[in-house]
Amino acid sequence: MSGKRLLFLLLDYLCLTRPEWTKKLLLGDEDIYKAPDDPKITFISPDMIPHTGDSLRLFCEAFGGTVDLPDAYNEAVWHKELADGTLIKLPKRLYQEKTLREDGQTFGTYLKFESFQLEDAGTYVCVISKPGVSVQKRVSIRDAAVFYIDPNPFPWKQITIACLIVSTLIMSIIVLNRKYGPKVKALVKDNCYAIEDYDGKTNDVLIAYSAEDTELANGIMLPKLEARSYTCTSRKITCDITRCAAEISQYAESSRRIIVILSPAALNDIWTSAQLYQVLKHFQTINTCKIVYVTVRSFPVSGAEVKNNSGESLRSLMSKINIIQWNVSKDANFWFRLCRELPPKRSKYWVKSKSDGMLA
């Protein structure tokens, strides 16, 4: 066996901390690096979306190993790619800066944009070359104004969510108001409004009723209001209800509120818009105190309505007065709605605390 062949068999390979595709061949004191077949990419910039006027730079780098040929070298050059795939040279205002590391085995190039312009948008290709081999890597640059076709899109999703939230809140407020609104308003009136006990009148409430409504007036309403600390009196209307204002006026001067009970029986079963309009207008002649109407049946406001010479109808008159419908089921909100229209009444604890404070 020849000496050269024996020496070849004794060759040993040692892996260094270089990339796995680099090996060092030890032969005496001489180091020989084996270059890869293709340039190995070590870095390439990601796609970018800058704004006009921004400064930015692209960078590509590769490991190509050593080149022993005197007239050959490794290099990386940036080009711009047209829509048809043609590579063109870059304008002079764009600057390319080359870098070398590891004795020229790792090489790269920066592409610098001092001020990005709209015409700079497009695809840029880094051509990485070593003798006999070249690799292309592409980077896309899109201007932010072009990429976001609508920079201020209509926020349908946010508006839909906001509308749902607002609708839910409105529905909740409506439900809570129907259930607790009368009670809260009555409590606020009783505890916050000025009391009317020192106006020279002896009664808080005067209940005016017809003979047909005696049970409702004296059997239900009068004891209920007296239990709530109201000073009450009641008067039965002995004449035609459409001509009883004079009869009630003499008692109204000593009362802070008048509750008028209206029912079909009190109107001789003539429950029409014209008849109700006449009754309400008749009671409006009493101007010494506030009047609250309690009806046992809904007003007939549907269909054609009779209007007076000034164009006033029953519907428009109802919007100016206080009407509360009696609830046969004895709903508590009826009493809260009624008390809300009556003079404020402080609770016994509140009055006692206030008196103690004044004495102190």
Side-chain angles (χ1 to χ4, degrees), residues 80 116-124 141-143 146:
K80 188 172 184 180
F116 179 79
Q117 303 300 321
L118 184 60
E119 59 269 18
D120 294 333
T123 301
Y124 289 82
I141 301 180
R142 289 176 289 181
D143 185 75
V146 176

PDB file of all heavy atoms in Angstrom, residues 80 116-124 141-143 146:
ATOM      1  N   LYS A  80     -34.761  45.719  -7.741  1.00  0.00           N
ATOM      2  CA  LYS A  80     -36.225  45.841  -7.640  1.00  0.00           C
ATOM      3  C   LYS A  80     -36.855  45.002  -8.738  1.00  0.00           C
ATOM      4  O   LYS A  80     -36.379  45.000  -9.879  1.00  0.00           O
ATOM      5  CB  LYS A  80     -36.658  47.303  -7.766  1.00  0.00           C
ATOM      6  CG  LYS A  80     -38.147  47.519  -7.485  1.00  0.00           C
ATOM      7  CD  LYS A  80     -38.526  48.992  -7.430  1.00  0.00           C
ATOM      8  CE  LYS A  80     -39.994  49.153  -7.046  1.00  0.00           C
ATOM      9  NZ  LYS A  80     -40.393  50.577  -6.984  1.00  0.00           N
ATOM     10  N   PHE A 116     -38.744  57.098   2.709  1.00  0.00           N
ATOM     11  CA  PHE A 116     -39.543  56.208   1.873  1.00  0.00           C
ATOM     12  C   PHE A 116     -40.612  57.003   1.120  1.00  0.00           C
ATOM     13  O   PHE A 116     -41.314  57.833   1.691  1.00  0.00           O
ATOM     14  CB  PHE A 116     -40.200  55.135   2.745  1.00  0.00           C
ATOM     15  CG  PHE A 116     -41.066  54.186   1.979  1.00  0.00           C
ATOM     16  CD1 PHE A 116     -40.499  53.147   1.242  1.00  0.00           C
ATOM     17  CD2 PHE A 116     -42.444  54.325   1.975  1.00  0.00           C
ATOM     18  CE1 PHE A 116     -41.297  52.273   0.532  1.00  0.00           C
ATOM     19  CE2 PHE A 116     -43.239  53.454   1.268  1.00  0.00           C
ATOM     20  CZ  PHE A 116     -42.676  52.426   0.545  1.00  0.00           C
ATOM     21  N   GLN A 117     -40.702  56.742  -0.195  1.00  0.00           N
ATOM     22  CA  GLN A 117     -41.686  57.391  -1.048  1.00  0.00           C
ATOM     23  C   GLN A 117     -42.675  56.359  -1.593  1.00  0.00           C
ATOM     24  O   GLN A 117     -42.420  55.157  -1.570  1.00  0.00           O
ATOM     25  CB  GLN A 117     -40.989  58.111  -2.207  1.00  0.00           C
ATOM     26  CG  GLN A 117     -39.952  59.141  -1.778  1.00  0.00           C
ATOM     27  CD  GLN A 117     -40.565  60.245  -0.926  1.00  0.00           C
ATOM     28  OE1 GLN A 117     -41.683  60.700  -1.182  1.00  0.00           O
ATOM     29  NE2 GLN A 117     -39.821  60.686   0.085  1.00  0.00           N
ATOM     30  N   LEU A 118     -43.817  56.845  -2.044  1.00  0.00           N
ATOM     31  CA  LEU A 118     -44.857  55.950  -2.533  1.00  0.00           C
ATOM     32  C   LEU A 118     -44.364  55.096  -3.696  1.00  0.00           C
ATOM     33  O   LEU A 118     -44.697  53.908  -3.802  1.00  0.00           O
ATOM     34  CB  LEU A 118     -46.095  56.759  -2.950  1.00  0.00           C
ATOM     35  CG  LEU A 118     -47.314  55.952  -3.401  1.00  0.00           C
ATOM     36  CD1 LEU A 118     -47.791  55.039  -2.287  1.00  0.00           C
ATOM     37  CD2 LEU A 118     -48.441  56.877  -3.838  1.00  0.00           C
ATOM     38  N   GLU A 119     -43.512  55.697  -4.583  1.00  0.00           N
ATOM     39  CA  GLU A 119     -43.016  54.927  -5.731  1.00  0.00           C
ATOM     40  C   GLU A 119     -41.993  53.866  -5.323  1.00  0.00           C
ATOM     41  O   GLU A 119     -41.631  53.002  -6.139  1.00  0.00           O
ATOM     42  CB  GLU A 119     -42.402  55.856  -6.780  1.00  0.00           C
ATOM     43  CG  GLU A 119     -41.240  56.705  -6.285  1.00  0.00           C
ATOM     44  CD  GLU A 119     -41.697  58.052  -5.737  1.00  0.00           C
ATOM     45  OE1 GLU A 119     -42.904  58.182  -5.420  1.00  0.00           O
ATOM     46  OE2 GLU A 119     -40.855  58.967  -5.642  1.00  0.00           O
ATOM     47  N   ASP A 120     -41.515  53.907  -4.080  1.00  0.00           N
ATOM     48  CA  ASP A 120     -40.573  52.890  -3.612  1.00  0.00           C
ATOM     49  C   ASP A 120     -41.256  51.578  -3.258  1.00  0.00           C
ATOM     50  O   ASP A 120     -40.578  50.564  -3.042  1.00  0.00           O
ATOM     51  CB  ASP A 120     -39.800  53.404  -2.389  1.00  0.00           C
ATOM     52  CG  ASP A 120     -38.888  54.575  -2.734  1.00  0.00           C
ATOM     53  OD1 ASP A 120     -38.461  54.661  -3.908  1.00  0.00           O
ATOM     54  OD2 ASP A 120     -38.612  55.392  -1.842  1.00  0.00           O
ATOM     55  N   ALA A 121     -42.573  51.593  -3.126  1.00  0.00           N
ATOM     56  CA  ALA A 121     -43.285  50.365  -2.771  1.00  0.00           C
ATOM     57  C   ALA A 121     -43.115  49.328  -3.881  1.00  0.00           C
ATOM     58  O   ALA A 121     -43.028  49.653  -5.061  1.00  0.00           O
ATOM     59  CB  ALA A 121     -44.765  50.652  -2.544  1.00  0.00           C
ATOM     60  N   GLY A 122     -43.034  48.071  -3.496  1.00  0.00           N
ATOM     61  CA  GLY A 122     -42.867  47.002  -4.462  1.00  0.00           C
ATOM     62  C   GLY A 122     -42.100  45.833  -3.871  1.00  0.00           C
ATOM     63  O   GLY A 122     -41.939  45.716  -2.653  1.00  0.00           O
ATOM     64  N   THR A 123     -41.593  44.984  -4.739  1.00  0.00           N
ATOM     65  CA  THR A 123     -40.846  43.796  -4.318  1.00  0.00           C
ATOM     66  C   THR A 123     -39.363  44.004  -4.613  1.00  0.00           C
ATOM     67  O   THR A 123     -38.987  44.375  -5.731  1.00  0.00           O
ATOM     68  CB  THR A 123     -41.348  42.548  -5.058  1.00  0.00           C
ATOM     69  OG1 THR A 123     -42.734  42.375  -4.781  1.00  0.00           O
ATOM     70  CG2 THR A 123     -40.577  41.309  -4.614  1.00  0.00           C
ATOM     71  N   TYR A 124     -38.529  43.756  -3.611  1.00  0.00           N
ATOM     72  CA  TYR A 124     -37.086  43.893  -3.743  1.00  0.00           C
ATOM     73  C   TYR A 124     -36.464  42.506  -3.617  1.00  0.00           C
ATOM     74  O   TYR A 124     -36.866  41.707  -2.754  1.00  0.00           O
ATOM     75  CB  TYR A 124     -36.534  44.845  -2.694  1.00  0.00           C
ATOM     76  CG  TYR A 124     -36.913  46.285  -2.947  1.00  0.00           C
ATOM     77  CD1 TYR A 124     -38.157  46.764  -2.550  1.00  0.00           C
ATOM     78  CD2 TYR A 124     -36.053  47.150  -3.611  1.00  0.00           C
ATOM     79  CE1 TYR A 124     -38.527  48.076  -2.791  1.00  0.00           C
ATOM     80  CE2 TYR A 124     -36.407  48.463  -3.865  1.00  0.00           C
ATOM     81  CZ  TYR A 124     -37.649  48.928  -3.454  1.00  0.00           C
ATOM     82  OH  TYR A 124     -38.002  50.222  -3.715  1.00  0.00           O
ATOM     83  N   ILE A 141     -42.405  45.457   0.137  1.00  0.00           N
ATOM     84  CA  ILE A 141     -42.621  46.715   0.860  1.00  0.00           C
ATOM     85  C   ILE A 141     -43.906  47.346   0.323  1.00  0.00           C
ATOM     86  O   ILE A 141     -44.006  47.616  -0.876  1.00  0.00           O
ATOM     87  CB  ILE A 141     -41.448  47.687   0.690  1.00  0.00           C
ATOM     88  CG1 ILE A 141     -40.151  47.054   1.204  1.00  0.00           C
ATOM     89  CG2 ILE A 141     -41.717  48.993   1.415  1.00  0.00           C
ATOM     90  CD1 ILE A 141     -38.955  47.951   1.059  1.00  0.00           C
ATOM     91  N   ARG A 142     -44.866  47.564   1.220  1.00  0.00           N
ATOM     92  CA  ARG A 142     -46.132  48.185   0.827  1.00  0.00           C
ATOM     93  C   ARG A 142     -46.351  49.432   1.665  1.00  0.00           C
ATOM     94  O   ARG A 142     -46.188  49.393   2.884  1.00  0.00           O
ATOM     95  CB  ARG A 142     -47.297  47.206   1.028  1.00  0.00           C
ATOM     96  CG  ARG A 142     -47.288  46.065   0.018  1.00  0.00           C
ATOM     97  CD  ARG A 142     -48.384  45.076   0.325  1.00  0.00           C
ATOM     98  NE  ARG A 142     -48.069  44.313   1.527  1.00  0.00           N
ATOM     99  CZ  ARG A 142     -48.854  43.350   2.014  1.00  0.00           C
ATOM    100  NH1 ARG A 142     -49.987  43.060   1.402  1.00  0.00           N
ATOM    101  NH2 ARG A 142     -48.502  42.688   3.107  1.00  0.00           N
ATOM    102  N   ASP A 143     -46.714  50.505   1.009  1.00  0.00           N
ATOM    103  CA  ASP A 143     -46.980  51.745   1.725  1.00  0.00           C
ATOM    104  C   ASP A 143     -48.244  51.586   2.562  1.00  0.00           C
ATOM    105  O   ASP A 143     -49.223  50.988   2.125  1.00  0.00           O
ATOM    106  CB  ASP A 143     -47.150  52.903   0.744  1.00  0.00           C
ATOM    107  CG  ASP A 143     -47.317  54.229   1.464  1.00  0.00           C
ATOM    108  OD1 ASP A 143     -46.314  54.748   1.970  1.00  0.00           O
ATOM    109  OD2 ASP A 143     -48.454  54.719   1.530  1.00  0.00           O
ATOM    110  N   VAL A 146     -51.448  52.675   1.039  1.00  0.00           N
ATOM    111  CA  VAL A 146     -51.939  51.807  -0.025  1.00  0.00           C
ATOM    112  C   VAL A 146     -52.462  50.500   0.549  1.00  0.00           C
ATOM    113  O   VAL A 146     -53.472  49.959   0.118  1.00  0.00           O
ATOM    114  CB  VAL A 146     -50.804  51.539  -1.045  1.00  0.00           C
ATOM    115  CG1 VAL A 146     -51.272  50.556  -2.104  1.00  0.00           C
ATOM    116  CG2 VAL A 146     -50.343  52.840  -1.671  1.00  0.00           C
TER     117      VAL A 146
END
